Amino acid sequence: MLVVRKTVQMAVRKHLSRSFSASRTHLQERKGLVLGVFEKEAEEGGLHLTEAAARFDQSLSGKLSDLLKIAAPVLKKGKSRIFYGIHQDFPCVAVVGLGKGNEGVCGAENWDTKKENIRHAVSVGCKILQELEVNHVEVDDCGDAKSAAEGAVLGLFCYDQLKSKKKTRVTTQLHGSADVDDWKKGVVYAEGQNLARFLMEAPANHITPTAFANTIEEKVAPYADRVTVNKRPKAWIEEQQMGAFLSVTRGSEEPPVFLELYYNGCPDKKQLPLMLVGKGITFDSGGISLKPSQSMDAMRADMGGAATVCASIVTAAALKLPVNIIGLAPLCENMPSGKATKPGDVVTAKNGKTVQVDNTDAEGRLVLADALCYGHTFNPRAIVNVATLTGAMDVALGSAATGVFTNSDWLWEQLHKASVVTGDRVWRMPLFQHYSKQVTDCQLADLNNVGKYSRSGGACTAAAFLKEFVTAPHWAHLDIAGVMSNKDEVPYLRKGMSGRPTRTLVEFAAGLAHSG
């Protein structure tokens, strides 16, 4: 077993050595170019080249424009045309449709439509060139270098570490623009989300609680001057009297880890930290309340909350955001065994409240309860916990947005504002006393870990349960079960685990940093 474990750990390190994306200039590659075009207004018809595309067209004496006219119909949003051999430096040129150039923030959609169109279009161009085995792509900023970089880096990510045949490794570079700083920022944002995607997609036998903690420790190593890592073992968890968390760990042979990250980006000691807490169930079988076997493999991503929280802190450190952040990730597996917690058992949380565990598959709220209690000891300015908590959240919102339950209008506004920028949307959900009564009406203990009326309002009763462990005036619970994976809903993400809402968390932290 020890030899197998060492082999797996070596394999994980080898896989991690493959960067999630790149944006370096290479001299001897097969090069490609992605250029954007906007649709003209209806009465005008035709296409409007971006600045970079117009300069490229001018260098070819209008040849690109002529080819686009020939290649009817008019290039629509998210569509592409590929041209070969029209420029000596770029054997392949992908021209992508950006939609209308006058679009911006859309109140109905709760995002910036122009930014989303750029992400979508650039990802389409980059993926097509990747399929053509082009290994270095220069990208038009399309009027927003950060969004273009995000589209390129997110679109090119593919988890193929364990496959013999891998997709072409593609490096990216900004083309025809001086907006290098925004481009680099977009690359960092996207690489943060790709880190979360990697952790969520990797098999559960590769990303155990210990392997997860070690991976994050490796990723923050370049920022050791401003990030401190504590990997707390089971003995420490027991000392902290985290009985709710420990009850979930009982069925697994894998030891739990309570991971702490301290990012010190602001020298002002008076600035209170932002607290991020992520559910870290590295595999969720449901425990004794066993899940159906169909799609159980997807429960390797039940640590999506921990993945997005930790990836956000890695990204904040890379960006050198002037803010202090503490990240907490209770990591364990939820497995059935002769030692596992049984339905009807009563456990005691860190704050002394007793919980009747009627469903061992409602385990995420148990590990978060103790982490939230511990998080309060740091007197944070705000607490945001993130979790793939309930299937009911997926039923309610699907993959359109992350559900947000919060006791703070101010915190909601900050999260919503960030999500409009990133296009990774959030939607506010209710925290009524109506739901609290359903978890406090309990036969054997102070609380029940499932609602009185079973599945009705399941996402809301789960949030109400967490609320029983919160005294902070600014707290938000983000249920990301609906956005955990992507089929084709987000066009610039390939099928697989999504890493959402990492970029929204980073943008939120950046907003706090700049608002003081």
Side-chain angles (χ1 to χ4, degrees):
M1 178 60 75
L2 182 61
V3 173
V4 172
R5 175 57 53 80
K6 286 183 177 178
T7 301
V8 169
Q9 289 177 343
M10 288 176 65
V12 169
R13 290 195 184 97
K14 181 181 178 182
H15 300 149
L16 284 172
S17 68
R18 286 186 81 221
S19 177
F20 300 111
S21 66
S23 57
R24 297 179 293 273
T25 303
H26 289 235
L27 297 177
Q28 296 179 337
E29 308 108 335
R30 187 172 177 206
K31 295 174 69 174
L33 177 64
V34 175
L35 296 172
V37 294
F38 292 103
E39 296 176 28
K40 287 185 178 180
E41 294 302 317
E43 62 273 11
E44 298 177 13
L47 297 170
H48 173 67
L49 302 180
T50 62
E51 291 183 12
R55 286 194 295 271
F56 183 82
D57 185 44
Q58 187 176 12
S59 73
L60 297 176
S61 302
K63 186 176 182 180
L64 180 63
S65 294
D66 292 340
L67 288 171
L68 285 169
K69 290 175 184 176
I70 295 170
V74 172
L75 198 56
K76 296 294 185 180
K77 178 180 68 176
K79 301 299 182 180
S80 63
R81 300 282 185 273
I82 304 296
F83 301 108
Y84 302 94
I86 63 173
H87 194 285
Q88 61 181 4
D89 294 335
F90 303 103
C92 302
V93 177
V95 180
V96 293
L98 298 166
K100 296 178 180 178
N102 60 353
E103 293 186 294
V105 174
C106 175
E109 290 294 333
N110 279 260
W111 63 23
D112 188 315
T113 302
K114 183 177 179 180
K115 291 179 183 292
E116 278 295 283
N117 289 350
I118 291 171
R119 294 181 187 108
H120 179 191
V122 169
S123 73
V124 168
C126 287
K127 284 187 286 188
I128 288 174
L129 293 177
Q130 184 181 42
E131 292 301 321
L132 295 171
E133 299 185 354
V134 172
N135 55 20
H136 182 70
V137 176
E138 294 193 14
V139 179
D140 179 356
D141 73 3
C142 302
D144 188 324
K146 182 171 177 286
S147 297
E150 289 174 334
V153 177
L154 291 171
L156 288 168
F157 175 85
C158 176
Y159 184 87
D160 58 5
Q161 274 80 353
L162 304 178
K163 291 188 176 183
S164 300
K165 187 177 181 180
K166 296 174 170 55
K167 287 191 176 292
T168 301
R169 176 94 168 100
V170 180
T171 57
T172 58
Q173 177 185 343
L174 182 61
H175 175 82
S177 171
D179 204 357
V180 177
D181 288 344
D182 268 2
W183 169 268
K184 289 180 178 177
K185 185 183 291 186
V187 169
V188 174
Y189 269 64
E191 287 184 333
Q193 184 168 344
N194 285 349
L195 171 58
R197 293 165 83 183
F198 170 86
L199 291 166
M200 294 169 70
E201 195 71 82
N205 64 327
H206 284 215
I207 300 294
T208 62
T210 300
F212 182 106
N214 290 343
T215 299
I216 294 301
E217 187 174 40
E218 290 177 15
K219 296 304 290 184
V220 299
Y223 319 112
D225 60 324
R226 49 190 181 275
V227 182
T228 303
V229 181
N230 287 331
K231 298 183 291 185
R232 307 292 194 181
K234 183 178 180 180
W236 180 90
I237 300 168
E238 291 172 336
E239 289 174 7
Q240 292 294 315
Q241 299 182 316
M242 295 182 175
F245 177 24
L246 287 166
S247 74
V248 179
T249 74
R250 289 173 57 85
S252 176
E253 293 296 318
E254 290 289 342
V257 177
F258 193 94
L259 180 64
E260 299 177 66
L261 301 177
Y262 298 87
Y263 168 61
N264 297 302
C266 180
D268 184 1
K269 301 297 182 183
K270 295 180 180 179
Q271 187 194 88
L272 299 176
L274 166 65
M275 175 70 65
L276 300 178
V277 183
K279 171 188 168 185
I281 306 297
T282 59
F283 187 76
D284 182 16
S285 70
I288 297 297
S289 305
L290 194 66
K291 292 178 181 289
S293 59
Q294 185 178 8
S295 301
M296 193 194 286
D297 67 293
M299 289 298 97
R300 67 187 182 274
D302 205 29
M303 29 60 78
T308 55
V309 161
C310 293
S312 298
I313 294 175
V314 172
T315 306
L319 293 169
K320 298 182 180 180
L321 293 183
V323 63
N324 296 326
I325 308 174
I326 298 175
L328 305 178
L331 301 163
C332 69
E333 292 181 337
N334 183 26
M335 298 290 285
S337 78
K339 295 180 180 180
T341 296
K342 305 171 291 297
D345 284 359
V346 175
V347 301
T348 304
K350 181 175 172 60
N351 66 350
K353 289 188 177 183
T354 54
V355 181
Q356 181 175 332
V357 182
D358 274 356
N359 187 337
T360 65
D361 193 24
E363 85 299 330
R365 64 202 72 181
L366 298 175
V367 304
L368 286 174
D370 281 337
L372 286 169
C373 292
Y374 179 65
H376 278 73
T377 64
F378 295 93
N379 189 32
R381 67 193 294 193
I383 301 176
V384 177
N385 72 255
V386 188
T388 50
L389 205 63
T390 64
M393 192 73 258
D394 184 29
V395 172
L397 295 181
S399 59
T402 293
V404 176
F405 301 80
T406 180
N407 61 0
S408 168
D409 291 341
W410 167 80
L411 189 51
W412 159 250
E413 289 166 4
Q414 299 303 311
L415 287 165
H416 180 255
K417 183 169 66 174
S419 76
V420 171
V421 174
T422 64
D424 197 349
R425 297 175 291 194
V426 297
W427 191 257
R428 192 169 188 176
M429 301 289 288
L431 263 181
F432 302 147
Q433 281 295 316
H434 172 89
Y435 302 112
S436 296
K437 291 175 182 177
Q438 295 182 41
V439 296
T440 56
D441 185 358
C442 181
Q443 184 178 0
L444 301 178
D446 298 323
L447 301 167
N448 199 306
N449 80 322
V450 289
K452 182 179 179 180
Y453 303 118
S454 185
R455 294 177 62 84
S456 297
C460 301
T461 53
F465 179 90
L466 294 178
K467 186 182 175 185
E468 295 297 315
F469 299 89
V470 173
T471 59
H474 301 294
W475 161 71
H477 157 54
L478 275 57
D479 193 334
I480 62 170
V483 303
M484 181 182 80
S485 63
N486 190 68
K487 294 182 280 293
D488 56 10
E489 306 94 322
V490 180
Y492 47 87
L493 301 180
R494 281 193 166 101
K495 181 180 179 180
M497 300 307 168
S498 71
R500 297 169 63 189
T502 301
R503 288 182 300 114
T504 292
L505 291 173
V506 175
E507 186 69 20
F508 161 66
L512 291 187
H514 298 135
S515 65

